Amino acid sequence: MSISDAFTTGLPKAELHVHLEGTLEPELKLELARRNGIDIGQSSVEEVRATYEFDSLTSFLAVYYPAMEVLRTEQDFHDLAAAYFRRAAADGVRHVEAFFDPQAHTSRGVPIADVILGYARAAREAAEVGVHAQLILCFLRDHSAESAVETLAAALPYSEHIIGVGLDSDERDNPPEKFAEVFRTAREHGLRLTMHCDIDQVGSIDNIRTVLREIGVERIDHGTNIVEDPALLAEAIERGIGFTTCPISNSFVTNDMKASEIVQLLRAGARVMLNSDDPAYFGGYVAANYRALAEHAGLTREDLAQLATNSFDASWLTDEEKARYKAEVEAFVAADSESTT
C-alpha cells in the first residue's frame, strides 16, 4: 500500500537538523534586500531562485553564505525564523531544535544580540502555530577555534534562549578536535552538544569516533558513514546517540540519498530520524524528506512512525514531553489505520 501525502505530512514529528539561514526562501530574500536597501544583483524571485544552484557541499556553501547578506536587523532574523516555523507546522512538526550561525552575521558587523533575540522571539511565538521551538548555536568550523570561543563568550549572556551548541560548515581540514575546548566550556555552562559529521568526507569515520569518544556529543548530524564501522555503530546505539539524517540534501551534495545507510541505521535500532537541513536550497521540507525516503527505500507507515518516534527520543525534551509527543505519534498512526481499513 502506498503511503499518502496526508500521512507523511500529518505524522507528528520533531525536526532536529534545520539551519534557520537555510530556510531563506527566494521571496523573503528579495523582500529583505529591498527592506534593507541592498543590491543583490537580482530583481525578481525567479532570478533569485536561479542562483540557488550547486552540486557539492563546497559549491553550496559558496551560494549559502553570500545570501545571508540580506539579514541585517533583529526583525529580519525574527521574520526568517517565523516563516520557517509556520512552514514546519504545516508539515506536522511539533518540536524543533533549530541551528543558527552567529559568526556568519557577526563577521558582517551584525550584533550577536540582534541574531539571538530575533530568532528567540520567533521561537516563542512558534507556540501560536503549535510548534515548540528551541535554538542551537552552531560554530563555523572553517573559522578559527579562537573565534568559536569568542562567539560562545558573547552568546552566554543570552544562554536562556539557547539549548545547545553544534558545529557546521566545511569539514575539510577542520576536524572536531579543533573545537574540543569550546565544546567543553559549553558543556560546563549546561549546554547540550551535537556536531556535524558530513557524509563521505575525508576521515569521516575518524571524525565520528572523535565526536563520540572525545567530544562526548549526544547527537551526530548526518553521520551515516558510521555504518562502515559496526563496532562503533554498536557503541553509538548503546549510548542512545541520535543521527539527524537529511535524505534530500544528501542527494544534492553527493548524488546519493544515502537511503541504504539510513535504513541500515533504522533496522539496527539506532535513533535515526529525518530532517530538512537547508530546505529553501534543497527544495524539500521535512515531510518531503519522509516521502522521498519512503518511495526510494520502500518504507512502510510503521517505519515512518518509528523515524518520527526516534526524532522525539533523540531530542533534548524532558522525558515527560517526549512521552506526550510519542503518544501523539501512536494516536495518529492508529487513527490512520482505522481510516484505511
Side-chain angles (χ1 to χ4, degrees):
M1 180 184 298
S2 63
I3 299 174
S4 69
D5 288 354
F7 183 88
T8 55
T9 299
L11 181 66
K13 56 186 75 71
E15 178 143 50
L16 309 182
H17 186 149
V18 59
H19 300 266
L20 289 174
E21 291 88 353
T23 67
L24 182 60
E25 292 286 350
E27 292 84 354
L28 183 57
K29 180 182 177 183
L30 191 59
E31 177 185 332
L32 295 180
R34 289 169 175 166
R35 176 194 294 179
N36 292 316
I38 301 169
D39 182 2
I40 58 173
Q42 302 99 39
S43 59
S44 70
V45 170
E46 292 72 22
E47 289 176 349
V48 176
R49 185 171 288 112
T51 68
Y52 284 29
E53 294 186 1
F54 37 83
D55 58 8
S56 67
L57 177 60
T58 300
S59 62
F60 163 66
L61 295 175
V63 173
Y64 182 64
Y65 288 118
M68 297 182 199
E69 177 67 20
V70 300
L71 296 163
R72 295 291 182 88
T73 68
E74 180 182 325
Q75 189 65 40
D76 296 341
F77 293 101
H78 166 274
D79 292 354
L80 174 62
Y84 161 70
F85 293 133
R86 289 192 299 270
R87 183 62 182 78
D91 264 13
V93 174
R94 301 287 285 114
H95 173 70
V96 177
E97 293 168 15
F99 299 131
F100 69 102
D101 293 329
Q103 289 157 293
H105 312 298
T106 57
S107 63
R108 299 183 288 110
V110 177
I112 196 169
D114 288 353
V115 180
I116 296 174
L117 295 179
Y119 283 151
R121 179 158 55 96
R124 290 192 301 273
E125 294 170 356
E128 298 172 8
V129 293
V131 174
H132 180 260
Q134 296 175 309
L135 301 174
I136 300 172
L137 183 157
C138 280
F139 305 110
L140 298 181
R141 66 197 311 157
D142 45 5
H143 287 218
S144 68
E146 292 75 19
S147 176
V149 170
E150 292 168 0
T151 298
L152 179 61
L156 284 175
Y158 309 97
S159 60
E160 65 186 285
H161 304 298
I162 302 167
I163 191 171
V165 297
L167 182 67
D168 59 15
S169 200
D170 199 340
E171 194 165 335
R172 294 175 306 169
D173 302 318
N174 294 297
E177 54 265 32
K178 172 181 172 181
F179 299 92
E181 177 187 350
V182 72
F183 271 71
R184 184 166 51 248
T185 302
R187 178 187 285 112
E188 291 170 354
H189 284 275
L191 296 171
R192 314 296 289 266
L193 308 184
T194 186
M195 275 190 178
H196 276 53
C197 288
D198 288 312
I199 55 176
D200 297 345
Q201 299 294 298
V202 174
S204 284
I205 283 294
D206 291 336
N207 288 348
I208 292 171
R209 186 176 293 108
T210 296
V211 303
L212 286 176
R213 295 178 177 173
E214 297 180 27
I215 308 297
V217 300
E218 301 165 83
R219 290 202 300 258
I220 296 177
D221 305 307
H222 298 301
T224 51
N225 287 89
I226 197 170
V227 300
E228 299 165 14
D229 187 329
L232 192 62
L233 174 56
E235 180 181 331
I237 292 172
E238 182 178 1
R239 289 176 49 188
I241 298 297
F243 292 89
T244 68
T245 66
C246 309
I248 290 177
S249 73
N250 288 349
S251 65
F252 272 80
V253 300
T254 68
N255 294 319
D256 185 351
M257 190 180 289
K258 300 298 178 184
S260 61
E261 289 88 342
I262 295 171
V263 172
Q264 185 175 341
L265 290 171
L266 178 65
R267 302 291 182 235
R271 283 184 176 170
V272 60
M273 83 290 301
L274 308 183
N275 309 268
S276 65
D277 204 355
D278 300 281
Y281 294 87
F282 299 126
Y285 285 80
V286 65
N289 278 269
Y290 275 75
R291 285 191 291 275
L293 186 68
E295 292 169 2
H296 190 87
L299 298 185
T300 65
R301 291 183 305 170
E302 290 72 25
D303 291 329
L304 297 187
Q306 185 61 58
L307 290 164
T309 296
N310 290 348
S311 72
F312 293 114
D313 275 331
S315 74
W316 293 330
L317 292 164
T318 66
D319 288 343
E320 181 180 355
E321 290 167 330
K322 291 178 183 180
R324 185 171 71 250
Y325 286 124
K326 290 192 293 182
E328 288 188 21
V329 175
E330 293 177 5
F332 176 85
V333 173
D336 181 80
S337 297
E338 292 177 2
S339 67
T340 56
T341 56

